[in-house]
Amino acid sequence: MKSSLRAGVSAPTPEAAPAQRAVALSRERFLTSDTPEPLTVREAILASWRRSEQLHVAADKLEMSYEPDVQLDTRLTRSALPVLRALGEQLEGQSVSVILTDPTGLVLSRITGDRALESHLDRVLLAPGFSYAEKFVGTNGIGTALEMGGPTHVFGHEHYAEHLEDLACAGVPIHHPITGRLVGAVDFTCWRRDAGALLLTLAKTTAEQIRQSLLTSSGSSELGLFKEYLRTCARRTGIVFAVNQDVVMLNDFARMVLDPADQAALLARAGEVLASGRPNSLVLNLPTGQTARMFTRPVDRSNRLAGIVAYVKLEAPGREAEDLRRVHLPLPGLVGSGPPWLKACEEVERAFRSGQWLAVAGEPGVGKLAVLSAVQLRRQPVGRLLVVDAADDQDDPDWMPSVRRAVAGDADSLVVRHVDALDVRRLRVLSSALSTASTAHPTRPLWVAVTLTNGTHSKALLQLLQLFPTTVDLPPLRLHREDILPLVTLFLSRLSQGRQLSCSPAALRLLMRMDLPGNTRQLHELLREVVKHRRTGVVEPGDLPAEAHTLSRRVLSPLEALERDAIVKCLADAHDNKARAARALGMSRATIYRKIHDYGIVTRAT
């Protein structure tokens, strides 16, 4: 382990210094309201800078409150601290710090192997009791990883606060292995000058060790309840939930069609059934006036009651049928009823069922990984799915070893994302490893899928694809626009965390008219921005960003996008009166008419 840690903080490459100077210049321009150079700042960092600016985070000082009573007696800390203490023995004398936080970014524990680094972390308040959420310190490995929901590294001047520019950090969110709920994050921080390519890999490895420790501490009863919940979800497309004394699991359909008050009523009655320990079928009148029939079944594990799983049918006239027509669930966690989408999902599921290796192609953001993960969840709910991203290959030396471990039997299914991003040499190495895997385990065969974009492929890639008898093309969202409504419903429910948030017909019409070249991912990111300022109630056209008010005809430059946004805002303030908007912007009516046409801005008269 010690050799890995030393590699993770190895000397930076010679080109790192010029690159950091370019990032520093872009940050300075951003903070002085100038447009950063588009090629010198990663998109994820620029998005975080924008969030930090919107939150009015101070860039020249650190301001955060101190929480003196940090709760260390939680399931996360009980599982994580032994892992971190063992790691701390390897950190002794090295300029690396490993930090554990709760889901809000509040630092729970810090272990540092170098006294100088520890003193610096004290000065910048990266210490237990302080929160490193983005809303307090802006862009950083902890807060940005929690905000983005995935592994994140922030290097030097990419930090929003200037006090952190001498540091490099890599953060990874930690999700509970059974419920999937976010429970915290782990972060590795070192001096900027010492940062190496393995820093993020070390954070990912540690997060996985903590997740496995959480799984071990969960016990057989929770695992049994979780498996039965997954089996029920695979058999039913309606409302399914599971409860015990510590855990509540609801499927996406339940969160979408049930009012929070109705959810609470069902869970309360389920708690009564749990106390009795007997299966039950009962009819409830829910707070919203609906009638529901709930079927419950106890789950026993080792002669002990592990919990109950419930299936609910809504019996109010026409309500359930209406909701089922509105939100279709072809696979667990997915929605959509467009024929091209359903056909593609069925083809992926058919390939998985037959054990046939599969290539899934499509435009960026169409949901290739989501479909593969959903098929795995339905067909092999307790199997292990390993996902490796070829786009990480350039920066992650552990990428190919991860593939080889999967081939050796570490996983039941393997998905290689963005396989078309590999160069010729790596494609040949991958082909060799997968060729071995195809015959290595006849009694427990590994299922492999790759994802790629449509287009012309190299000869090496075509040779790799010979191992995959079938290619399924997922359709772009523009070919099944009827699915925008259920997608919006699903995303708003998830992003608002179950609060009552819906989309008005006028706002939905704008979304339906968007070009959405980024497909489902772009729609999700757009709604993520909406939920930051509209968390309950109804999303109206004014809540949507400027890009939703335009019919995209071309890619706009950053300056053009700013001008478009200003025009959209002034038109909204002027209730679409173009003359008033032109006066507010200091331009002629002819100019605003021309720009409305050039930018494809949608007004109520359009």
Side-chain angles (χ1 to χ4, degrees):
M1 184 68 181
K2 186 169 288 189
S3 61
S4 297
L5 285 170
R6 293 189 188 280
V9 293
S10 58
T13 57
E15 62 271 17
Q20 273 296 293
R21 286 195 293 271
V23 172
L25 179 60
S26 292
R27 177 179 173 277
E28 180 179 346
R29 289 177 176 173
F30 180 88
L31 294 174
T32 55
S33 300
D34 205 346
T35 305
E37 294 291 336
L39 298 180
T40 59
V41 183
R42 291 184 287 135
E43 185 58 38
I45 297 299
L46 186 55
S48 177
W49 286 359
R50 289 170 178 154
R51 290 193 298 268
S52 304
E53 183 182 51
Q54 292 168 358
L55 291 167
H56 305 293
V57 176
D60 58 347
K61 57 184 176 181
L62 295 173
E63 295 179 323
M64 61 189 88
S65 59
Y66 175 66
E67 179 64 52
D69 299 318
V70 175
Q71 178 57 261
L72 290 179
D73 187 23
T74 66
R75 180 168 293 183
L76 171 65
T77 53
R78 288 194 297 270
S79 300
L81 289 179
V83 175
L84 300 186
R85 291 191 188 106
L87 187 61
E89 296 176 6
Q90 307 296 325
L91 288 174
E92 190 65 35
Q94 299 186 57
S95 56
V96 183
S97 181
V98 59
I99 295 146
L100 180 72
T101 80
D102 73 5
T104 69
L106 180 71
V107 177
L108 303 176
S109 171
R110 185 188 76 193
I111 298 174
T112 310
D114 177 74
R115 186 168 297 177
L117 178 62
E118 184 159 41
S119 298
H120 184 75
L121 296 183
D122 285 339
R123 288 194 294 273
V124 297
L125 306 181
L126 184 47
F130 293 97
S131 174
Y132 254 62
E134 270 194 352
K135 66 181 179 180
F136 295 119
V137 294
T139 309
N140 72 93
I142 295 169
T144 305
L146 291 171
E147 182 68 29
M148 294 177 60
T152 303
H153 65 282
V154 180
F155 188 84
H157 297 286
E158 291 179 335
H159 288 93
Y160 190 81
E162 64 184 28
H163 293 74
L164 305 178
E165 59 192 12
D166 289 331
L167 300 174
C169 49
V172 179
I174 302 169
H175 292 87
H176 193 281
I178 293 180
T179 66
R181 188 178 69 251
L182 178 68
V183 294
V186 64
D187 170 83
F188 276 72
T189 294
C190 68
W191 297 112
R192 182 185 73 200
R193 64 176 181 269
D194 295 330
L198 282 184
L199 197 65
L200 185 58
T201 301
L202 291 172
K204 290 178 182 178
T205 301
T206 304
E208 177 60 21
Q209 290 174 346
I210 294 172
R211 198 184 75 87
Q212 290 298 325
S213 181
L214 281 166
L215 184 63
T216 301
S217 67
S218 295
S220 61
S221 61
E222 281 191 10
L223 286 173
L225 179 63
F226 180 58
K227 291 177 182 178
E228 189 58 38
Y229 165 73
L230 290 180
R231 292 191 189 100
T232 306
C233 288
R235 293 194 299 264
R236 305 282 189 178
T237 58
I239 298 166
V240 178
F241 63 90
V243 296
N244 66 11
Q245 298 297 337
D246 301 311
V247 173
V248 174
M249 293 174 273
L250 286 86
N251 66 350
D252 288 331
F253 190 86
R255 297 180 188 279
M256 285 186 291
V257 304
L258 288 176
D259 182 270
D262 290 349
Q263 291 182 25
L266 286 169
L267 292 173
R269 184 57 63 92
E272 297 174 7
V273 176
L274 179 65
S276 70
R278 293 190 299 271
N280 207 338
S281 172
L282 50 100
V283 177
L284 298 85
N285 293 317
L286 300 177
T288 59
Q290 297 185 89
T291 301
R293 182 176 293 275
M294 183 169 71
F295 305 88
T296 62
R297 187 164 62 83
V299 178
D300 296 316
R301 189 64 55 166
S302 303
N303 298 320
R304 294 179 54 217
L305 181 63
I308 64 167
V309 174
Y311 168 64
V312 178
K313 294 182 64 176
L314 298 176
E315 297 188 343
R319 171 63 189 269
E320 186 178 34
E322 174 189 339
D323 286 326
L324 281 169
R325 285 194 300 271
R326 182 169 58 88
V327 183
H328 296 264
L329 295 176
L331 287 167
L334 302 183
V335 296
S337 60
W341 172 253
L342 290 178
K343 181 175 182 293
C345 289
E346 290 168 3
E347 290 176 353
V348 173
E349 190 168 12
R350 189 180 306 118
F352 185 94
R353 192 166 54 242
S354 66
Q356 188 179 75
W357 288 13
L358 179 69
V360 180
E363 296 178 4
V366 294
K368 297 183 283 292
L369 179 60
V371 171
L372 290 167
S373 300
V375 167
Q376 161 87 11
L377 183 60
R378 169 177 286 179
R379 293 292 168 185
Q380 200 176 23
V382 297
R384 184 181 176 197
L385 171 66
L386 178 64
V387 179
V388 292
D389 195 333
D392 294 338
D393 185 38
Q394 302 292 336
D395 302 322
D396 187 356
D398 193 48
W399 189 86
M400 188 53 70
S402 297
V403 175
R404 292 196 176 98
R405 286 194 296 271
V407 169
D410 278 5
D412 299 290
S413 302
L414 169 67
V415 175
V416 182
R417 301 182 68 196
H418 307 121
V419 70
D420 45 344
L422 293 172
D423 59 25
V424 172
R425 183 184 66 82
R426 290 177 174 84
L427 281 168
R428 289 173 178 164
V429 173
L430 179 61
S431 294
S432 175
L434 294 182
S435 296
T436 303
S438 62
T439 57
H441 304 285
T443 59
R444 185 172 172 264
L446 173 71
W447 187 72
V448 182
V450 296
T451 72
L452 65 161
T453 56
N454 294 313
T456 304
H457 303 313
S458 67
K459 183 178 179 181
L461 179 56
L462 292 174
Q463 289 175 339
L464 171 68
L465 292 177
Q466 294 298 315
L467 297 169
F468 299 86
T470 303
T471 297
V472 174
D473 286 295
L474 287 190
L477 191 52
R478 62 181 175 274
L479 296 184
H480 55 113
R481 287 185 177 274
E482 64 269 35
D483 291 336
I484 290 179
L485 171 57
L487 282 169
V488 169
T489 304
L490 175 66
F491 291 157
L492 287 179
S493 174
R494 287 179 174 175
L495 292 168
S496 65
Q497 299 179 346
R499 292 185 289 269
Q500 287 293 91
L501 183 61
S502 60
C503 188
S504 72
L508 183 63
R509 282 194 296 272
L510 288 176
L511 295 174
M512 294 284 285
R513 294 175 68 165
M514 287 185 68
D515 186 43
L516 292 171
N519 294 292
T520 304
R521 182 188 303 143
Q522 181 182 351
L523 179 63
H524 183 270
E525 291 306 310
L526 184 151
L527 294 174
R528 183 195 293 275
E529 293 300 313
V530 170
V531 171
K532 288 179 181 178
H533 58 85
R534 169 68 68 187
R535 298 177 183 85
T536 59
V538 179
V539 175
E540 298 291 351
D543 297 316
L544 299 177
E547 63 180 297
H549 294 263
T550 61
L551 298 174
S552 303
R553 295 185 174 91
R554 58 185 174 86
V555 177
L556 301 182
S557 70
L559 187 58
E560 288 175 323
L562 289 173
E563 185 177 52
R564 177 204 62 190
D565 294 355
I567 294 173
V568 169
K569 182 179 185 305
C570 285
L571 283 169
D573 293 342
H575 303 287
D576 285 340
N577 185 309
K578 298 178 181 64
R580 285 171 53 192
R583 286 196 297 271
L585 289 165
M587 62 176 63
S588 68
R589 279 189 291 177
T591 299
I592 198 172
Y593 273 95
R594 176 172 56 80
K595 290 186 178 293
I596 287 172
H597 177 268
D598 288 346
Y599 293 146
I601 296 172
V602 178
T603 64
R604 277 176 287 195
T606 302

